[in-house]
Amino acid sequence: MSDKKPKNVFIKGAISSEFIGNSIAKHQTKTSIGAHNIFLGQVRADLVNNKAVSAIEYTAYEDMANAKFHEIREAAFEKFELTCMHIYHSIGTVNVGEICLFVFVSSPHRTTVFDALEFIVEEIKGNVPVFGKEIFEDNSHQWKVNN
């Protein structure tokens, strides 16, 4: 793992389409890239115990989570031939239909970006201490179970 200080990957509230577009646009002129792949995690209107989810409030042990995101990033660069990678996660309240996780990878090769993205998202879902509290339309809440 590199000696670089872990970057803060958290964005307050939903991740906007403008932010996502600007992040992607930065890589249009890099001629060594042959493929990009993007994962957008969106809050969905699940029905839990006959109650509709209206938002998720994300909390995290931020220093620990940023360190874990950094480990995942370093492991992905070690395992795959990647040109670049962005990982951002929401903190705070994100409404149904809004983006809460943005992962973007680039590589010279198409198959690499598919494999890398799957690896990264699975690592995030399974190992990063980010917790979601589902807020229901009646303003009650419960902690989200990852699935």
Side-chain angles (χ1 to χ4, degrees), residues 75-91:
F77 270 112
E78 212 171 283
K79 185 173 176 134
F80 303 99
E81 183 188 357
L82 296 175
T83 307
C84 73
M85 176 189 328
H86 295 281
I87 302 173
Y88 293 98
H89 200 295
S90 294
I91 199 86

Side-chain angles (χ1 to χ4, degrees), residues 19-80:
F19 181 86
I20 294 166
N22 289 338
S23 296
I24 294 167
K26 292 177 188 175
H27 303 286
Q28 288 177 218
T29 60
K30 293 186 180 178
T31 58
S32 64
I33 295 173
H36 304 286
N37 202 0
I38 302 163
F39 175 84
L40 300 175
Q42 179 173 312
V43 175
R44 63 181 181 266
D46 283 344
L47 196 60
V48 180
N49 298 327
N50 294 322
K51 294 182 189 181
V53 172
S54 62
I56 297 178
E57 181 183 340
Y58 291 99
T59 59
Y61 298 112
E62 289 189 44
D63 288 344
M64 188 185 301
N66 279 316
K68 193 62 185 172
F69 277 118
H70 183 71
E71 284 177 29
I72 292 167
R73 185 180 203 290
E74 293 293 309
F77 270 112
E78 212 171 283
K79 185 173 176 134
F80 303 99

